[in-house]
Amino acid sequence: MDEFDLIARYFDWPARRPEVALAVGDDAAVIDPPADARLVVTTDMLVAGRHFPLDTSPEAVAHKALAVNLSDLAAMGAEPLGFTLSLGLPETDADWLSRFSSALRRVAERWGCDLVGGDTVGSSVLTLSVTAFGTLPAGKIIARGGARPGDRLAVTGCIGDAALGLMVVQDPAAVPEALGAAARDYLRGRLDRPEPRLAAGRALLGSASAGLDCSDGLLQDVGHLLDASGLGAEIDLSAVPLSPAARDWLDARPEDIDRLITGGDDYELIVALPEGTEVDPELGLTMIGRLVEGPVGGIRERHGRVLPTRRGYTHFPGEE
Ligand code: ADP
Ligand code: MG
């Protein structure tokens, strides 16, 4: 199978969105963005063994590659439109490709965004780079800067599941014995198949004063919002939303709270909301603290302890 057969067989299906005038198969894709919409572009690369465990299923790899990009669009309040996929493949394994491509098509349809092109090369390590495009109504945005003192800090969903899911994979001996198979599967699923919070991002556009998605650990990502907004924060750690599986885990190993709030791969949204903002309970937001004048970038626990914001996932540890 040469590269052109491979693309035709696994990555060429009809686009569904009317904005996509030309998708896979030509030298470039052509998109007609809606009149007076702003184009929002993001890219994220995944390397096997670094961004997902080597035993991750092709379905989960497809899901995660698209989800992490759409999570960035969700964080901006944008609506997804299309994406490109660049693939570095160690081999052309028909079974892997067919499972990967079916799963990719399924999630792309679910999230309303078309595959419009890409590149396919040989590589010693499985590598995927997705660039996603979305739109924002003119004049509207959720950015990292813009929060005000007194705004409340809120997160969607539950924090820390993916960090525990990674422990299930990497350090099974450290998993509390009380945790049953269903809880382990749930945590692994949260690592493999994050859900981009697209509906929440769209709904918060116009009310959130700032926001971002949580991909490198809660404390580190809150730190990014604080740096960009020139503020500090006070957080109530006991308010950080945890899943039943994470609660059971902490009952057995309370010291792992640290991993929950510094581990990566949550893909939940962190937003600042002006006092008095009404939020739809359907969005699943939990208030975890508030923004304060300073020190800039500093996070204090409600009871006074200073929390480290520079801990979380980093690709180049030790390089300052
Ligand atoms: P070119 O050499 O003109 O850049 P390619 O041979 O790399 O074109 O790709 C041919 C077509 O297939 C292009 O439309 C490209 O966007 C698309 N394509 C290549 N790889 C992928 C992929 N992994 N997923 C989706 N589309 C792809
Ligand atoms: Mg060309």
Side-chain angles (χ1 to χ4, degrees), residues 301-318:
E301 221 233 311
R302 201 170 50 126
H303 308 295
R305 189 161 64 109
V306 174
L307 298 170
T309 53
R310 305 294 167 224
R311 273 175 42 227
Y313 188 77
T314 171
H315 279 276
F316 305 109

Side-chain angles (χ1 to χ4, degrees), residues 3-4 7 11 23-27 85-87 115-120:
E3 174 196 339
F4 306 105
I7 295 163
F11 298 107
V24 173
D26 219 301
D27 288 309
L85 167 70
S86 294
L87 268 181
L115 176 59
V116 300
D119 200 12
T120 307

